[in-house]
Amino acid sequence: MVMKTIKATSLLVIAGLLFFACHKNSGHLYIKLTNKSNRKIACQEFWCGHITESDTIFQCRIGAVGIPSDSSFLLPSGDAVKGRGWEYDFNTIPYLQLLIMDFETYNTYIYEPCDTVRKYVPVLHVYRLTLEDLQKTNWTVTYPPEKQ
């Protein structure tokens, strides 16, 4: 009886280890945003299935993340928890939009009405990144954009 229990437990442990050893996530879980400017920036991510040119303004219900000068931030995929990654996300979105703003200005107006934020917080740069763009840059986005 004891031998059967040890054998069953051993098989379960081995099967579990094999399962986790063989598990692969099917994509890149993060995009690395690197701030090489001399000031802290705010970055707002926006993506949906039907994004248009008119969506290049600050989105009120979506916050922005601060990225200090000379540092990086890892932007997770919408499906990172399930391990599917950005490649999976791009099955339903045409591109990822990143709005770059000056953090100090953004922070000054963060609790103001949306129209006030749009009026007084200028967008320093807009990235519209496709899956191919991100693959070419090895999943790294750098601000300010590097000259090619």
Side-chain angles (χ1 to χ4, degrees):
M1 176 81 167
V2 173
M3 284 304 279
K4 284 185 178 181
T5 304
I6 292 173
K7 186 176 179 180
T9 304
S10 298
L11 286 174
L12 253 161
V13 169
I14 292 170
L17 290 173
L18 286 174
F19 173 75
F20 286 109
C22 294
H23 174 73
K24 292 181 182 176
N25 57 31
S26 61
H28 290 82
L29 299 180
Y30 299 95
I31 296 170
K32 183 178 180 182
L33 304 175
T34 301
N35 178 8
K36 289 189 177 181
S37 73
N38 59 359
R39 61 181 165 180
K40 187 173 184 178
I41 59 171
C43 178
Q44 183 184 61
E45 164 198 9
F46 181 63
W47 55 276
C48 70
H50 304 292
I51 196 167
T52 66
E53 290 290 324
S54 64
D55 292 322
T56 60
I57 59 173
F58 179 79
Q59 302 297 312
C60 297
R61 294 189 172 109
I62 303 171
V65 62
I67 306 171
S69 177
D70 295 318
S71 68
S72 297
F73 175 79
L74 295 178
L75 180 65
S77 156
D79 246 0
V81 173
K82 295 180 183 175
R84 293 192 263 209
W86 281 102
E87 291 87 346
Y88 183 82
D89 294 341
F90 276 101
N91 287 325
T92 57
I93 62 172
Y95 56 86
L96 168 67
Q97 177 177 281
L98 301 174
L99 299 181
I100 305 297
M101 301 163 282
D102 176 69
F103 181 81
E104 297 304 324
T105 308
Y106 170 74
N107 200 40
T108 300
Y109 294 99
I110 191 171
Y111 298 110
E112 298 297 326
C114 192
D115 290 346
T116 304
V117 174
R118 288 179 178 158
K119 182 176 181 180
Y120 293 108
V121 182
V123 174
L124 302 174
H125 192 76
V126 177
Y127 291 93
R128 290 185 153 196
L129 304 163
T130 64
L131 175 61
E132 293 77 24
D133 295 332
L134 290 162
Q135 289 169 334
K136 286 179 192 173
T137 63
N138 197 26
W139 300 90
T140 299
V141 178
T142 304
Y143 177 81
E146 296 174 334
K147 297 185 182 183
Q148 303 204 3

